[in-house]
Amino acid sequence: MHIHPLRAHIEEVLPLTDQEFDFILSHFTPLSKRKHQYLVQEGELVDKEHWVIKGCLKAYFFDQNGKEYIVQFAMENWWITDYEAFNNQVRASFSVDCIENCELLAIDYASREKLSSEMHKMERFWAKKTKLAFIASQKRILSLCRNTAKERYEMLLNQYPQLVQRVPKKMLASYLGVSRETLSRL
Amino acid sequence: MHIHPLRAHIEEVLPLTDQEFDFILSHFTPLSKRKHQYLVQEGELVDKEHWVIKGCLKAYFFDQNGKEYIVQFAMENWWITDYEAFNNQVRASFSVDCIENCELLAIDYASREKLSSEMHKMERFWAKKTKLAFIASQKRILSLCRNTAKERYEMLLNQYPQLVQRVPKKMLASYLGVSRETLSRL
DNA sequence: TTATACATGTGAGATAGATCACACTTTGGC
DNA sequence: GCCAAAGTGTGATCTATCTCACATGTATAA
């Protein structure tokens, strides 16, 4: 008998009973998207946060010169949306696109709020996830200040080898904050 | 009759009864520190998170060349500690020092856990704060990639004019990820 | 009050990385 | 199976920022 991947994911943080997990799962909607389709579009309201069952995505925007900035990638077991827009229920400043065909579980804002307030465990789970995301992003800041382009690329390669396989170099460059030419010259 | 500043701070997110606030406050310990004293020392265990009543602090570390990197500042109404070390109860990779004489409220890990689990409102409050911190740090990442040193300095000046008044330029430079010479030339 | 550390300004030169330009290759839609 | 679009490599500049060096100003602690 196999365990649901979302359950496995949540149980990395805290244990659940079958009933609890069924209750949690009932708040999510499965969703399939093809490569190049979007989940969030800059300027629109963002009502959903997504958990990745399968596939690869990016959160990004273009500046006034058409240069792309990648805020976040997501692969299996990652969460993605425009968090500022989602949490404050305002218009998105980023878009979220599929880099590969994706299988997702989506939860809308009201369901997330309901689930958080009815079930302290989920509040704790999401709080834990947000803490980890915050710590990771502090590390990314330090890395931008401390390390050269090459070092940052090598660190990414060490930490997320599959990401480097699956994503065009050009996008890795945008994520790392270097030009694609510099990344190409490694 | 005046409201306690911590209560005012929490009530920016959600309302509290007198009893609830007294219960919350009983988990904190008041603390005074003088300029140059530390709250967290790199390499030590971190058992406390601090809320600033009065004063100004920095979380930072030095790299192998003796160059300082400032991870975070804190002033009145801000929270500060080494979050990775505090949350995972491991040794600090940053130090936290007072830039001015400080009045603080400290909460230790066990009390925070206890308060979070016994009082859903506080779990929600801290979850909200962490979300905001995460969003702010995503913005800092983008700003490092997108903006020039000058633009970043001007943004800091706009967003935290008092910080720029109270903190030596050298430290602002470390925080912004530029050399003090470049910042001086603006 | 004096001295010593800290903070700040500014010049000159070095450099990581950006930008522009072009060639070549791979991919996916029709 | 073909063609446009996207991805990638590499050369030749250019430039923001770093580094080193030194001068000066300003706290703070004995």
Side-chain angles (χ1 to χ4, degrees):
Chain A
M1 139 181 184
H2 47 73
I3 192 167
H4 190 287
L6 180 60
R7 179 164 180 180
H9 174 68
I10 297 171
E11 289 201 327
E12 283 174 17
V13 176
L14 40 76
L16 295 174
T17 65
D18 293 354
Q19 290 80 353
E20 283 172 336
F21 179 68
D22 291 345
F23 181 66
I24 292 166
L25 192 58
S26 72
H27 291 74
F28 285 85
T29 312
L31 196 63
S32 291
K33 288 280 175 183
R34 315 209 55 192
K35 190 169 171 172
H36 296 133
Q37 291 188 305
Y38 67 86
L39 295 183
V40 173
Q41 189 110 67
E42 189 182 336
E44 293 181 356
L45 288 173
V46 180
D47 196 45
K48 291 194 174 7
E49 181 179 9
H50 304 269
W51 184 72
V52 186
I53 301 174
K54 184 94 196 65
C56 185
L57 308 95
K58 60 172 176 173
Y60 68 98
F61 72 97
F62 290 97
D63 71 8
Q64 55 278 34
N65 309 314
K67 187 169 171 187
E68 183 179 36
Y69 294 85
I70 295 186
V71 181
Q72 196 206 148
F73 287 112
M75 297 189 293
E76 289 74 19
N77 293 0
W78 284 72
W79 298 82
I80 195 166
T81 191
D82 176 336
Y83 283 101
E84 183 172 28
F86 180 72
N87 286 313
N88 306 143
Q89 292 288 285
V90 297
R91 291 180 186 281
S93 29
F94 312 139
S95 300
V96 176
D97 279 14
C98 297
I99 299 175
E100 303 170 353
N101 296 342
C102 289
E103 298 298 320
L104 306 150
L105 288 174
I107 187 165
D108 63 64
Y109 185 75
S111 299
R112 196 198 206 268
E113 285 295 293
K114 172 176 169 293
L115 191 49
S116 291
S117 52
E118 287 175 359
M119 198 173 160
H120 198 165
K121 274 189 183 179
M122 277 308 277
E123 182 86 61
R124 287 187 78 76
F125 169 75
W126 273 312
K128 177 75 180 174
K129 283 287 158 189
T130 311
K131 283 177 197 172
L132 292 173
F134 170 61
I135 290 164
S137 93
Q138 282 207 155
K139 289 187 174 172
R140 198 171 152 204
I141 290 169
L142 285 177
S143 175
L144 282 167
C145 294
R146 253 188 120 169
N147 302 110
T148 63
K150 185 173 188 182
E151 289 168 339
R152 289 189 320 248
Y153 181 61
E154 281 162 359
M155 288 162 75
L156 188 69
L157 223 142
N158 274 320
Q159 218 181 344
Y160 305 107
Q162 355 149 41
L163 189 75
V164 180
Q165 305 292 322
R166 291 162 73 173
V167 166
K169 299 262 161 68
K170 180 201 213 182
M171 290 185 194
L172 297 176
S174 299
Y175 177 79
L176 290 170
V178 275
S179 67
R180 52 152 221 95
E181 293 93 332
T182 299
L183 191 73
S184 163
R185 287 184 252 261
L186 222 57
Chain B
M1 140 182 184
H2 48 75
I3 193 167
H4 190 289
L6 180 59
R7 179 165 180 179
H9 175 67
I10 298 171
E11 289 201 327
E12 283 174 19
V13 175
L14 38 77
L16 295 174
T17 65
D18 292 353
Q19 291 80 356
E20 282 171 335
F21 179 68
D22 291 344
F23 181 66
I24 293 166
L25 191 58
S26 72
H27 291 74
F28 285 85
T29 311
L31 195 63
S32 291
K33 288 278 176 187
R34 313 208 56 192
K35 190 169 172 173
H36 296 133
Q37 291 188 308
Y38 66 86
L39 295 183
V40 172
Q41 189 112 62
E42 190 182 335
E44 293 182 356
L45 289 171
V46 180
D47 195 44
K48 292 195 174 4
E49 181 179 8
H50 304 268
W51 184 72
V52 186
I53 302 174
K54 186 87 196 70
C56 185
L57 308 94
K58 59 173 177 175
Y60 68 98
F61 72 98
F62 291 97
D63 72 7
Q64 56 276 35
N65 308 315
K67 188 170 170 185
E68 182 177 38
Y69 294 86
I70 294 185
V71 180
Q72 200 206 145
F73 287 112
M75 296 188 294
E76 289 75 21
N77 292 0
W78 285 73
W79 298 81
I80 194 165
T81 191
D82 176 337
Y83 282 100
E84 183 172 30
F86 180 72
N87 287 313
N88 305 141
Q89 291 288 284
V90 296
R91 289 180 189 282
S93 29
F94 311 140
S95 301
V96 176
D97 281 13
C98 299
I99 300 177
E100 301 171 353
N101 296 342
C102 289
E103 297 298 318
L104 306 151
L105 288 175
I107 186 166
D108 64 64
Y109 185 75
S111 299
R112 196 197 206 269
E113 284 295 292
K114 173 177 168 290
L115 191 49
S116 290
S117 54
E118 285 175 359
M119 198 171 159
H120 198 165
K121 272 189 183 178
M122 276 309 274
E123 182 87 61
R124 286 187 79 76
F125 169 75
W126 273 313
K128 177 73 180 178
K129 282 287 157 187
T130 313
K131 283 177 197 170
L132 292 173
F134 171 62
I135 291 163
S137 89
Q138 282 205 156
K139 288 187 173 170
R140 196 171 153 203
I141 290 170
L142 286 176
S143 173
L144 281 167
C145 295
R146 256 188 115 168
N147 302 111
T148 62
K150 185 171 187 182
E151 287 168 340
R152 280 176 320 200
Y153 181 60
E154 279 162 359
M155 288 162 75
L156 187 70
L157 221 141
N158 273 320
Q159 217 179 345
Y160 304 108
Q162 355 149 41
L163 189 74
V164 180
Q165 304 293 323
R166 292 163 71 172
V167 166
K169 299 261 162 67
K170 178 202 214 182
M171 293 185 193
L172 297 175
S174 299
Y175 177 80
L176 290 170
V178 276
S179 67
R180 52 154 220 93
E181 294 93 333
T182 299
L183 190 73
S184 163
R185 286 185 253 262
L186 223 56

